[in-house]
Amino acid sequence: MISVLFVCLGNICRSPVAEGIFKKLVKEKGLEDKIICDSAGTSSFHNGNSPDPRSTANAKKNGILLNHRSRQFTEKDAEDFRYILAMDNSNFSNIQELLSQKEGKDGQRYMMRDFDPNAKGADVPDPYYGAGDGFQEVFEILDRSCTVFLDFLIEEHGLDKIS
């Protein structure tokens, strides 16, 4: 099973939306028995909370239902998830710092937008303190990035050759 974890700061805006989009894409490709995903935050600010209502509303407007409770990223996630995708440089650094002293198995770490053909390696902006249209911008960035990332996984693991 290929395991993927999306990580942002509070796990209420960007990463649960990435998780929701990715789950839908995986289902559309019929790969639910090959790929699983989750999301987490590098902070514990919102542990146990549902996604931000603005994220939920915008995702729903775009055909994605979010069903997630915020949780904090832990060292165990590096063992449980083969791919870890951070939404921005700050969260990527937090992940690296947390795992720098850890020995053993470690997930492959990427920036989410390493898979965005429009802005490779850029941060996914945090819409939390911005206007409502920021949530749509983030959705579009994540939709593009998740699509390319799934194509990467399909190619990397030869999933198009498996029935």
Side-chain angles (χ1 to χ4, degrees), residues 137-148:
E137 176 190 7
V138 165
F139 185 91
E140 292 168 10
I141 289 168
L142 293 174
D143 190 44
R144 275 193 315 268
S145 300
C146 284
T147 299
V148 172

Side-chain angles (χ1 to χ4, degrees), residues 13 39 44 52 63 70 77 110 144 150 157 160 163:
C13 291
S39 63
S44 62
D52 185 291
S70 176
D77 288 322
Y110 296 96
R144 275 193 315 268
L150 181 56
H157 296 276
D160 56 341
S163 56

Side-chain angles (χ1 to χ4, degrees), residues 22-86:
F22 194 70
K23 282 181 177 177
K24 181 179 181 199
L25 293 171
V26 166
K27 184 175 183 177
E28 287 172 354
K29 295 275 188 182
L31 296 171
E32 306 102 298
D33 62 334
K34 308 264 186 289
I35 301 172
I36 59 168
C37 73
D38 193 7
S39 63
T42 57
S43 79
S44 62
F45 299 151
H46 303 284
N47 273 356
N49 292 349
S50 296
D52 185 291
R54 297 167 295 174
S55 285
T56 301
N58 192 73
K60 185 176 182 181
K61 177 183 88 171
N62 286 283
I64 304 290
L65 296 177
L66 303 182
N67 183 16
H68 180 78
R69 291 285 179 188
S70 176
R71 69 177 188 84
Q72 188 171 11
F73 178 83
T74 66
E75 286 183 1
K76 187 165 178 355
D77 288 322
E79 296 171 15
D80 293 344
F81 292 93
R82 183 163 182 177
Y83 296 94
I84 300 170
L85 291 96

Side-chain angles (χ1 to χ4, degrees), residues 1-3 10-11 14 20 36-37 40 57 59-60 78 83 89 95 104 111 120 124 138 144 149 152 160:
M1 189 67 94
I2 300 164
S3 53
N11 193 216
R14 297 169 289 174
I36 59 168
C37 73
K60 185 176 182 181
Y83 296 94
N89 276 302
I95 292 166
M111 292 282 290
K120 282 200 178 289
V124 176
V138 165
R144 275 193 315 268
F149 177 63
F152 164 79
D160 56 341

